[in-house]
Structures are given as structure tokens and as C-alpha cells.
């Protein structure tokens, strides 16, 4: 069993890109056809990050931050109103193991950072603590969510940096 609670080894020959998991069907459901992953899962984290960032101005959001619970990929879709949630769960089972493992590693890091923030808020919801949690959300959790998004979209770590450098070189050449 994986951390998602899904027994990946008993997926009965489900293959990404074939049958119900064809590229067109996945793309139509907002599931990346290459990775088998959907960015909808990241909403689970984006919501708590938004609340954490609001804490300095709205400390009463601390209760909502404290109510947040980790939820794995498949658990998120089981509870969600996502139209193609069954397809998302099936595609996750068929996603390449290294991609899935990388995403799960990032998710564990995000979960840990949010839990650290919650622990800090349990002890103190004063201005300094709220600002520290907001900073944690912006400087640590958001970059992890961005890395998870990159994984879902099939980008390797650092790939975006290279693309930005190439684009800048093209611009420099145009005006140089």
C-alpha cells in the first residue's frame, strides 16, 4: 500500500494513455496525460496557505488553519466534487512510479510544514506568531506547492529556470 492508501500493484493492467486513460480523456478532465496527475489536488494546500497568509491581518483565521488536516491524493478526490474524481484516482494508480513517489515526497514536506505552523499557532496566536506563520506559508510552503505543480505537469526540477534563462538570452539577442 502507498501513502495514498491505494494498492498500486493491483491496478489490473491499467495503463496511462490507453483505454479510459487515453490522452484525450485525461486532458478533457484536467489530468496531465503524461503524468496521470491533476492539479486539483493542490487546492487542498492552496486553501490553507491562503488562510496562513491572511493571519497577520485576520488572526481569527487561526482556527481555520488549525482545522486543516493532511489528506492524500486519492483521499482528496474521494471527498471532492471534482467531476472526474474516479478517473483522477485511476490515473494516479497508473502514473509512473517515480513521478508519484516524487509528488508524495513533496506532499509529506508540505504536510510537515503546515503541521509545524499549526503547532506554532496552538501555542500563540499573537501578531508575531501570525506573521511567522504567514512568512512560512510564503517562503517555504508555496515553493513546495510550486514544485508539486511542476511534478504534476511533468517538469523536472530546474527545468523552468533553464527556460527562463533561454528566454532572457533570446530577448537580449533581439535588443543587443
Amino acid at each position: 500500500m502507498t501513502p495514498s492508501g491505494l494498492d498500486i500493484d493491483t491496478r489490473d493492467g491499467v495503463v496511462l494513455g490507453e483505454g479510459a486513460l487515453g490522452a484525450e480523456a485525461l486532458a478533457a478532465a484536467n489530468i496531465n496525460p503524461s503524468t496521470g496527475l491533476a492539479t486539483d489536488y493542490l487546492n487542498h494546500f492552496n486553501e490553507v496557505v491562503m488562510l496562513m497568509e491572511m493571519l497577520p491581518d485576520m488572526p481569527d483565521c487561526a482556527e481555520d488553519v488549525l482545522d486543516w488536516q493532511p489528506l492524500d491524493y486519492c483521499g482528496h478526490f474521494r471527498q471532492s466534487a471534482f467531476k472526474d474524481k474516479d478517473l483522477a484516482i485511476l490515473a494516479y494508480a497508473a502514473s509512473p512510479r517515480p513521478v508519484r513517489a516524487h509528488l508524495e515526497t513533496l506532499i509529506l514536506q508540505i504536510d510537515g510544514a503546515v503541521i509545524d505552523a499549526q503547532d506554532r499557532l496552538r501555542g500563540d496566536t499573537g501578531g508575531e506568531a501570525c506573521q511567522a506563520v504567514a512568512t512560512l506559508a510564503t517562503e517555504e510552503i508555496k515553493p513546495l506547492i510550486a514544485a508539486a505543480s511542476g511534478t504534476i505537469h511533468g517538469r523536472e526540477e530546474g527545468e523552468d529556470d533553464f527556460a527562463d534563462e533561454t528566454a532572457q538570452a533570446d530577448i537580449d539577442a533581439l535588443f543587443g
Side-chain angles (χ1 to χ4, degrees):
M1 293 290 246
T2 67
S4 64
L6 183 67
D7 187 351
I8 301 299
D9 293 327
T10 61
R11 58 186 177 179
D12 297 328
V14 177
V15 177
L16 207 56
E18 296 180 10
L21 298 178
E24 286 183 24
L26 293 176
N30 281 333
I31 300 169
N32 184 292
S34 301
T35 64
L37 302 172
T39 57
D40 185 82
Y41 175 57
L42 300 179
N43 291 338
H44 176 63
F45 304 104
N46 289 327
E47 291 168 8
V48 75
V49 164
M50 180 185 68
L51 292 167
M52 291 167 69
E53 289 179 324
M54 292 173 21
L55 283 171
D57 296 323
M58 299 176 65
D60 54 318
C61 288
E63 188 175 316
D64 293 323
V65 173
L66 290 171
D67 287 342
W68 183 90
Q69 295 286 319
L71 190 59
D72 65 39
Y73 189 93
C74 293
H76 166 77
F77 283 103
R78 282 187 198 104
Q79 292 183 10
S80 80
F82 188 73
K83 179 181 156 224
D84 294 302
K85 63 183 172 182
D86 292 334
L87 183 61
I89 292 169
L90 185 63
Y92 178 82
S95 70
R97 288 179 197 272
V99 172
R100 212 172 41 240
H102 185 64
L103 179 65
E104 289 176 359
T105 298
L106 290 166
I107 297 315
L108 289 173
Q109 292 173 330
I110 296 168
D111 287 347
V114 174
I115 290 167
D116 287 347
Q118 289 174 320
D119 289 345
R120 181 162 190 150
L121 286 175
R122 278 187 192 90
D124 178 12
T125 57
E128 193 174 305
C130 286
Q131 184 58 53
V133 168
T135 300
L136 174 74
T138 302
E139 295 179 2
E140 292 185 39
I141 299 173
K142 273 187 162 181
L144 288 169
I145 293 171
S149 178
T151 299
I152 289 168
H153 289 290
R155 291 191 299 268
E156 296 294 321
E157 205 167 311
E159 182 177 311
D160 288 340
D161 295 337
F162 177 74
D164 290 345
E165 290 172 14
T166 303
Q168 186 59 52
D170 291 345
I171 292 168
D172 292 345
L174 219 117
F175 291 105

